[in-house]
Amino acid sequence: MRISLIALSSALALSACATVPAYTPYPATPEAVGPQPLAASIPSDLPRGAAPSHYRIHIVPDIANLTFAGRGSIELEVFEPIDALVLHANDLEISEAWLYNHAGGTRSDFKQAFDAEKQTVSFSDGTTIQPGRYRFDTVYTGTINQQANGLFALDYPDKRTGEPTRSLFTQFEAPDARRFAPMFDEPSYKATFDLSADVPANMMAVGNMPVKSEEPMGALKRVTFDTSPKMSSYLLFFALGDFERITDTAADGTVTGIVSPAGSGEQARYALESLTPLNGWFNDYFGVDYPLPKLDNVAAPGSSQFFGAMENWGSILTFESILLFDPANSTASTKQSIYAVQAHEVAHQWFGNIVTMAWWDDLWLNEGFASWMETKTTARFNPDWYPLLGRVGARESAMRLDAFPTTHPVIQEIRTVEQTNQAFDQITYSKGEAVISMFEAFAGEDVWRDGIRRYMARHQYGNTVSEDLWRAVEEAGATGLVDVARDFTTKAGIPLVTLNSATCSGGKTTLAVSQGEYRRGDWSGVTEAAPDWRIPLLISIDGAAPQRRVFGEQSATYTLDGCGTVELNAGQLGYFRTLYPAAEQAKLAASMRRQEPIDQLGMIADAQALGIGGYQGYAPALDLLAAMPVDANPVVLQTTAGDWGGYHGLLKSGGQDAAAAKLAGLIRARFRPVLNSLGYEPSPDETIPESNLRSTLLGIMAAAGDESVQAEASRRFALLASNPAALDGPLKSRWLGIVASKATPEQWELLLKLASESTNTAEQRTYYNLLGAAEDEALARRTLQLALSGEVPLTVAAQLAGSVAQSNGDLAANFVLDNRATIDALVDNSGRSGFYARLFYGARDPATIARIEAYRDSLSPDAQRPVNQALDAIAERQAGQPRAIAEVAAWVMAQ
């Protein structure tokens, strides 16, 4: 019996019924090739006896009732006799399933058996399926989720009328295409896709490919998209809603577009202007042209606890807060985020989509490379933003995880869905970017690019492992890269290079260096010896051109031309910590003014991390900070201002009132002239780094007790009571944040009113998160209760707990543990373990920590790592903070 499909609800002013169209043959695409058996070396949840070549999927969504019906038709090949056909499926009810044999034209009806743990379904008719080509059809129904998993809905106020509106989107990475249709849902099972849908006639449907046809069906229309290239299932995409689209055409003829909620207007213009030139740049860099006729970026009005954007082929999905530029609410850094995130996702169209990792073990081949390319591309098109300086911050974010015993290699073993979800972390993204930067410097930019072109041409429309890339680059001329790359991608942890001595004689400097491992936290239970790395050093003597050495022993001696200040990681492209003796530290501090900005950032970051880890005291880092000139690069000055603010917060939390007050005075004296020069209002000719610096300084100065900044924030905030647009502009969130942290009940109520009345989802999200920034515990409790009230958007509710955790860590942690079942429903399945873990970092009460440990123990072993990482950080903070407070206070009082 053919399943009857669901009528669309009258709540959407539509009532209709449609059936899934019957199967008809599809045209082969030039990229389509016969499927091959999955290699035994590639992990899989599926038997290896069959593989797909083409999918035809048709769906009919019931938007109001959050369900959908569909039919899937898979062209596949069976390679060996099998007793059952096994596919992935999750949260689907399959009413019919049958297999057609192309050789004999026979049809078999199948029974099904689900394996919930593996998220698979086995189909069998009691006979053996012989090798050959088949078509497998299913009729099924599924759920439209309200968090970003599978096919999901986002509810938001219409930008023009404020009326409640609902749109649909898909998110399939990593294991959620199986929520959309039964399929071979693993990256190595590539196939072509035909997608069609019966949708309300007044809505826009978006897929990977352009619309091939639209057939009127009364209140509905049947939308059919062109056949996709051969791709992995997680890249399939569908969206439906009241959208508008602005377009441009790239130099290669690709139509670029920004799809956004109706009423977005010119807010999408900057994203489009940024998107269009990227195609030509990437075509040239990778040596393989973008193969699809269009490239859209689709703005989703909401948020996720798991991701901000997704690289669906031909239809990127990005949450609108990092895609649409709203002059009334967006900061200067928002423009940077729009550019960087878009560059990241467009880079994926090649590194990830044209060539895809064979299994999630090599996820970093997607994410690390896209992160590296986003920085490289931003530097190419926006050099005045100084984006390469951001590589120091990315390296540090990776090292904060990589120093603990709960770390993992860049290439990691993944065998479960939960492990896959956890793989999207800073090791994969930021360490991936850091080591790739190091590898590019090792190979040289031209050789590196030539190697990537070889790799891309050799493996397009296929799947790879990391070794395929290293060998392609080594073939291009980077001798020795394979060994270096293996060390930094298969071994976890951070090398520590120690300069034991530096002796100058006859115009040459002789260096004695040794290597170990930089560690933080409790490694007492780890018996494994510290690994040895082949470390590419770039050594500069007194600012001269760096000289390369590959340091692969426990200790070595190098003699180099020149005498003076020694820097072992010139340019900060090496992924390692550097420990200098006191005399060399003093030289570095004395030379700070003439150092390159990236070296200034890197040396301070290293010194601070070495102080935290107990490898040296805090004084060397503070000396370097104090030596930083106030006319430094604005990105450097912004970062170091944040460092000073962090030390001030440390002293306040540690009860060192006198030292905190003195440091606050030093901060005000140091940065008031800089802030006076910038002024409180943006100027038309200032750069984005200058705008960002002003915003940071306003926050730092307010926290340091600058009365004029505090008064100005209060004055501006008061204007909102009569004029909700009073603070519109790039500093809006900064002025609001200054007030929100010390909010009175009346100010908190005003923020709540502004949030509930806003029709701008990005603005609304900002207001709600600021409610949680209040340090007052009573207001923090009200914010947490609001999260469960049903009065806030579902994708924002859980984030309220995250905002409270910044100032009231124990309160937020206990709240989510007390309300775990309810909170679970507010968080994406993919992001749940990481969401809880991020909330726990602020816990300080031993009773709360004990509850976190009990929560950890209740999880399956493969879900525990993020919580263990939080517990490691908490334990280290408890053990090390008294020393940190004492040493920083002593340094401050000595000034």
Side-chain angles (χ1 to χ4, degrees):
M1 178 179 78
R2 193 164 298 232
I3 189 168
S4 175
L5 297 183
I6 302 167
L8 293 171
S9 168
S10 59
L12 294 171
L14 292 164
S15 179
C17 184
T19 56
V20 178
Y23 171 83
T24 55
Y26 63 91
T29 63
E31 297 82 14
V33 297
Q36 301 297 315
L38 193 66
S41 60
I42 299 172
S44 177
D45 288 332
L46 303 175
R48 301 166 195 273
S53 61
H54 182 79
Y55 293 89
R56 172 168 251 176
I57 298 170
H58 181 86
I59 67 161
V60 179
D62 182 342
I63 303 172
N65 294 310
L66 296 175
T67 61
F68 70 96
R71 173 167 170 171
S73 186
I74 310 173
E75 291 290 332
L76 58 89
E77 185 160 339
V78 175
F79 307 111
E80 60 189 38
I82 56 177
D83 294 330
L85 181 64
V86 183
L87 302 177
H88 289 105
N90 191 12
D91 286 344
L92 299 178
E93 292 189 11
I94 302 169
S95 60
E96 295 181 75
W98 57 90
L99 186 72
Y100 292 92
N101 186 332
H102 283 305
T106 59
R107 165 182 164 170
S108 297
D109 292 312
F110 276 71
K111 295 181 179 179
Q112 55 190 285
F114 280 89
D115 183 328
E117 182 178 352
K118 288 188 175 182
Q119 300 181 357
T120 60
V121 57
S122 177
F123 298 96
S124 174
D125 65 354
T127 65
T128 299
I129 305 172
Q130 298 298 327
R133 293 188 65 83
Y134 295 85
R135 191 183 88 238
F136 183 69
D137 289 359
T138 53
V139 176
Y140 58 92
T141 57
T143 299
I144 299 175
N145 298 295
Q146 291 188 281
Q147 300 294 337
N149 300 102
L151 179 62
F152 68 97
L154 290 175
D155 296 336
Y156 57 98
D158 185 284
K159 291 176 182 285
R160 301 156 300 183
T161 66
E163 293 298 312
T165 305
R166 174 173 288 172
S167 295
L168 305 182
F169 307 87
T170 58
Q171 165 60 12
F172 292 157
E173 189 180 34
D176 282 331
R178 63 196 66 175
R179 296 176 185 268
F180 193 66
M183 61 177 67
F184 295 80
D185 190 20
E186 292 175 353
S188 281
Y189 287 107
K190 286 192 168 185
T192 54
F193 287 81
D194 279 332
L195 178 64
S196 59
D198 294 345
V199 302
N202 62 345
M203 288 189 172
M204 181 188 296
V206 184
N208 302 85
M209 301 294 289
V211 172
K212 180 180 181 181
S213 65
E214 288 192 359
E215 177 187 348
M217 301 171 61
L220 301 180
K221 59 184 176 183
R222 178 162 291 166
V223 179
T224 302
F225 298 98
D226 281 335
T227 303
S228 79
K230 185 179 171 186
M231 66 184 188
S232 301
S233 56
Y234 74 88
L235 297 172
L236 184 64
F237 180 74
F238 175 75
L240 176 67
D242 185 10
F243 300 144
E244 60 189 31
R245 182 175 184 242
I246 62 173
T247 63
D248 196 0
T249 303
D252 64 353
T254 302
V255 176
T256 56
I258 304 297
V259 179
S260 54
S264 297
E266 287 302 299
Q267 292 179 16
R269 184 65 57 187
Y270 175 70
L272 180 64
E273 292 173 348
S274 302
L275 174 63
T276 303
L278 294 177
N279 260 53
W281 161 243
F282 287 129
N283 283 342
D284 176 68
Y285 190 88
F286 289 119
V288 171
D289 287 346
Y290 179 75
L292 280 67
K294 64 100 173 175
L295 177 57
D296 285 326
N297 201 342
V298 182
S303 58
S304 165
Q305 293 80 37
F306 182 58
F307 74 104
M310 173 61 202
E311 67 268 20
N312 313 292
W313 212 355
S315 283
I316 297 163
L317 176 68
T318 307
F319 288 106
E320 69 170 35
S321 60
I322 46 175
L323 184 59
L324 303 183
F325 187 82
D326 176 8
N329 293 286
S330 299
T331 65
S333 63
T334 302
K335 186 169 283 191
Q336 293 176 292
S337 296
I338 291 169
Y339 194 93
V341 171
Q342 194 158 235
H344 181 108
E345 303 307 330
V346 176
H348 271 311
Q349 307 299 300
W350 283 260
F351 238 106
N353 298 7
I354 292 179
V355 181
T356 313
M357 78 264 145
W359 183 248
W360 302 107
D361 290 12
D362 282 295
L363 174 65
W364 88 289
L365 275 177
N366 285 12
E367 300 301 347
F369 270 85
S371 298
W372 166 77
M373 185 53 94
E374 88 177 51
T375 304
K376 191 176 188 70
T377 305
T378 306
R380 164 69 175 76
F381 288 97
N382 300 285
D384 57 326
W385 296 355
Y386 309 109
L388 295 179
L389 297 181
R391 286 191 167 154
V392 173
R395 181 189 75 188
E396 294 304 305
S397 70
M399 286 183 171
R400 278 190 286 274
L401 281 183
D402 209 13
F404 287 97
T406 44
T407 189
H408 61 82
V410 169
I411 301 172
Q412 55 185 310
E413 182 176 290
I414 294 173
R415 295 299 177 267
T416 68
V417 168
E418 177 57 36
Q419 288 172 343
T420 305
N421 293 335
Q422 291 178 24
F424 292 81
D425 65 6
Q426 291 306 308
I427 301 295
T428 295
Y429 284 78
S430 298
K431 183 174 181 178
E433 177 181 3
V435 298
I436 290 165
S437 301
M438 180 171 65
F439 300 158
E440 181 191 31
F442 178 89
E445 287 192 44
D446 291 342
V447 169
W448 177 257
R449 183 197 58 216
D450 291 347
I452 287 181
R453 287 175 174 174
R454 286 173 182 246
Y455 167 85
M456 195 66 59
R458 185 178 297 166
H459 299 288
Q460 57 186 311
Y461 302 104
N463 299 82
T464 61
V465 295
S466 296
E467 286 277 321
D468 296 322
L469 178 61
W470 309 144
R471 296 198 178 282
V473 178
E474 192 160 283
E475 287 171 13
T479 304
L481 177 71
V482 171
D483 290 337
V484 172
R486 281 177 183 162
D487 280 356
F488 280 90
T489 57
T490 64
K491 299 176 182 178
I494 307 166
L496 173 65
V497 178
T498 300
L499 177 62
N500 296 305
S501 64
T503 305
C504 177
S505 177
K508 295 180 181 293
T509 297
T510 299
L511 310 175
V513 296
S514 58
Q515 92 165 250
E517 183 174 10
Y518 173 80
R519 291 176 168 182
R520 290 168 58 181
D522 182 6
W523 286 75
S524 59
V526 181
T527 58
E528 180 183 356
D532 297 330
W533 288 270
R534 279 157 283 207
I535 307 170
L537 304 178
L538 277 175
I539 307 172
S540 176
I541 306 295
D542 209 34
Q547 302 172 63
R548 176 173 302 287
R549 297 291 186 274
V550 178
F551 178 29
E553 305 81 30
Q554 287 293 316
S555 60
T557 300
Y558 302 122
T559 299
L560 297 90
D561 292 337
C563 292
T565 305
V566 176
E567 195 173 345
L568 298 180
N569 193 10
Q572 303 303 306
L573 291 173
Y575 187 82
F576 56 88
R577 293 276 181 225
T578 311
L579 179 60
Y580 295 95
E584 296 302 321
Q585 285 273 17
K587 290 181 184 178
L588 289 172
S591 69
M592 184 60 71
R593 173 175 288 278
R594 63 178 186 271
Q595 294 286 347
E596 290 295 320
I598 197 164
D599 289 315
Q600 292 173 331
L601 287 176
M603 288 187 294
I604 289 173
D606 249 352
Q608 291 185 133
L610 291 164
I612 293 170
Y615 292 84
Q616 62 184 21
Y618 280 81
L622 292 163
D623 289 341
L624 289 173
L625 276 173
M628 183 64 66
V630 294
D631 60 350
N633 175 285
V635 175
V636 175
L637 207 57
Q638 180 187 4
T639 303
T640 55
D643 292 336
W644 283 119
Y647 286 119
H648 176 246
L650 174 74
L651 295 177
K652 284 184 66 177
S653 67
Q656 293 283 341
D657 295 342
K662 183 172 183 180
L663 182 55
L666 294 173
I667 290 171
R668 294 193 300 270
R670 183 177 187 82
F671 292 113
R672 170 46 69 178
V674 182
L675 186 55
N676 287 343
S677 175
L678 291 168
Y680 284 177
E681 296 294 340
S683 63
D685 58 345
E686 71 186 17
T687 66
I688 283 181
E690 289 170 336
S691 298
N692 292 336
L693 175 59
R694 174 192 293 107
S695 179
T696 294
L697 289 182
L698 287 171
I700 297 299
M701 295 290 278
D706 187 291
E707 294 179 356
S708 63
V709 172
Q710 293 171 338
E712 183 65 11
S714 296
R715 183 189 71 80
R716 295 185 182 219
F717 185 85
L719 299 175
L720 292 172
S722 57
N723 178 14
L727 292 187
D728 285 1
L731 289 171
K732 180 176 182 176
S733 60
R734 173 58 68 192
W735 291 119
L736 289 171
I738 291 171
V739 174
S741 63
K742 305 292 185 183
T744 65
E746 293 75 21
Q747 290 170 329
W748 190 93
E749 289 287 356
L750 179 56
L751 286 171
L752 177 59
K753 178 176 182 290
L754 292 166
S756 62
E757 293 177 352
S758 176
T759 60
N760 181 305
T761 57
E763 178 185 59
Q764 189 181 69
R765 180 169 171 255
T766 297
Y767 283 133
Y768 278 125
N769 283 332
L770 286 169
L771 294 174
E775 295 175 5
D776 180 83
E777 186 173 320
L779 295 178
R781 290 184 184 278
R782 291 183 64 184
T783 303
L784 292 172
Q785 291 304 318
L786 185 65
L788 303 185
S789 68
E791 298 173 11
V792 300
L794 286 175
T795 60
V796 172
Q799 294 181 2
L800 293 180
S803 62
V804 169
Q806 301 301 310
S807 298
N808 290 275
D810 291 299
L811 182 65
N814 283 299
F815 176 81
V816 296
L817 291 173
D818 288 340
N819 297 279
R820 182 174 168 187
T822 307
I823 295 293
D824 279 355
L826 301 175
V827 181
D828 307 354
N829 292 336
S830 302
R832 192 167 292 154
S833 58
F835 168 77
Y836 279 95
R838 289 191 297 274
L839 279 174
F840 296 154
Y841 276 85
R844 297 175 180 274
D845 187 334
T848 305
I849 296 167
R851 292 194 70 191
I852 295 171
E853 291 170 340
Y855 165 78
R856 183 266 320 276
D857 295 340
S858 74
L859 302 174
S860 63
D862 64 346
Q864 292 181 0
R865 185 169 69 193
V867 182
N868 280 327
Q869 289 171 332
L871 288 167
D872 275 354
I874 292 168
E876 186 202 40
R877 183 182 67 222
Q878 289 179 317
Q881 203 165 67
R883 177 180 67 87
I885 292 168
E887 291 188 13
V888 173
W891 185 93
V892 169
M893 298 308 290
Q895 302 309 301

